[in-house]
Amino acid sequence: MANFIREQKNGNYTYFNRNFHIEPTNLCVYDCKFCSYSRLIKQRSDADAWTYSMEEMMDIVRKYDEKPVTEVHIVGGVLPQYDLKFYQEFFQKIKTHRPELHIKALTPVEYHYIFKKGKVSYVEGMRLMQEAGLDSMPGGGAEIFDPEIRNKIAADKCTAEQWLEIHRVWHELGGRSNATILYGHIEDYRHRIDHMEQLRQLQDKTGGFQTFIPLKFRNQANQMSHVPEVTGVEDLRNYAISRIYLDNFDHIKAYWPMIGRSLAQLALAFGVDDIDGTIDDTTKIYSMAGAEEQTPVLTTQQLVELIRRVGRQPIERDTLYNIVQDFTDVEFAEDKQWRGYIDLPVVQP
Ligand code: V47
Ligand code: SF4
């Protein structure tokens, strides 16, 4: 059924984009139990802690000057020095340097914190961000909306209501955003449904969400390592239910750095029509949590190939799902580094 809905909404298309991430810091004032990536401020001298300056982050932006990327995805830990003024200046600098690069940045977790500190309302704050160059908001920080579970795994950071309110405000300003769920830990199925129901209700009001991204809990090197991970079959079922339940979302994304490329390929037969981007090894969130993809990098050719090998049409999109290039009939030279993902079409178009 999920595949039927996927094909009704998106045909045989499978979307990807060319993007890179900037993670300003992995130090964080919060202490989410599932987070393998962050370090507390008192751990700032640890070898694996980082805080990039504005110039260091601009160096990352400049590294992509000659490359055909369309999006920079910016998200990281929450720290007092990365405040409203800092991000305003950073977004402005990126736009001055490369105006057409789409800035998909920060989540309500950061926004709630920096707006409170900057003494501005959500509406004022989001307007300032928009003026500084923010183009869209990624889906992170949603975790699980149910207050009891949220409190156990992500106490202190913005509540479900605040997360939803910041997205609502952003949508009313004409912005687009994504939504995630962190599943497969201590929640029950009813919590997953409650989470999707709240997203579906908001989407009915604003229509501002583009994509739903289920994020599988990975259990290495965090305070929830004793909680086993769910199986790949469970992941596929979860994608399928998401596709069926969220009838007012256009897209469901399987984030390949998190579940690995083979499962991402399979997911394309279970309701998924998007597999995110080339990433270029610029995110540490999942490699630090034990994902198979320790250096998440796929070339455009590899992304295209893995979509084709399960019988789908690869479509490069920009962040807002405008088609950049239809790769259905584009031919490449043989890829000598091909690492043998799934070869047989799982779905015959
Ligand atoms: O909110 C952190 C998750 C999220 C773990 O909008 C973990 O296009 C599993 O939201 N196991 C941030 N998940 C990443 C995110 C995202 C990723 C890709 C694309 C988009 C988009 C958004 O990562 C956090 C949290 O839910 N996370 N640690 C972990 N151990
Ligand atoms: Fe901080 Fe985000 Fe990690 Fe929570 S998930 S500790 S808010 S970096």
Side-chain angles (χ1 to χ4, degrees), residues 2 6 14 35 59 66 68 72 85 102 107 113 156 223 240 247 249 301 307:
R6 180 247 201 258
T14 294
C35 185
D59 283 344
E66 305 307 322
V72 54
K85 283 219 154 36
H102 182 108
T107 73
Y113 179 89
D156 304 330
Q223 297 170 67
D247 63 324
F249 275 63
Q301 177 173 0
I307 294 167

Side-chain angles (χ1 to χ4, degrees), residues 28 30-32 34-35 37-38 76-78 109 143 157:
C28 191
Y30 300 119
D31 186 23
C32 303
F34 55 82
C35 185
Y37 153 94
S38 68
V78 177
V109 177
E143 320 314 355
K157 72 184 188 186

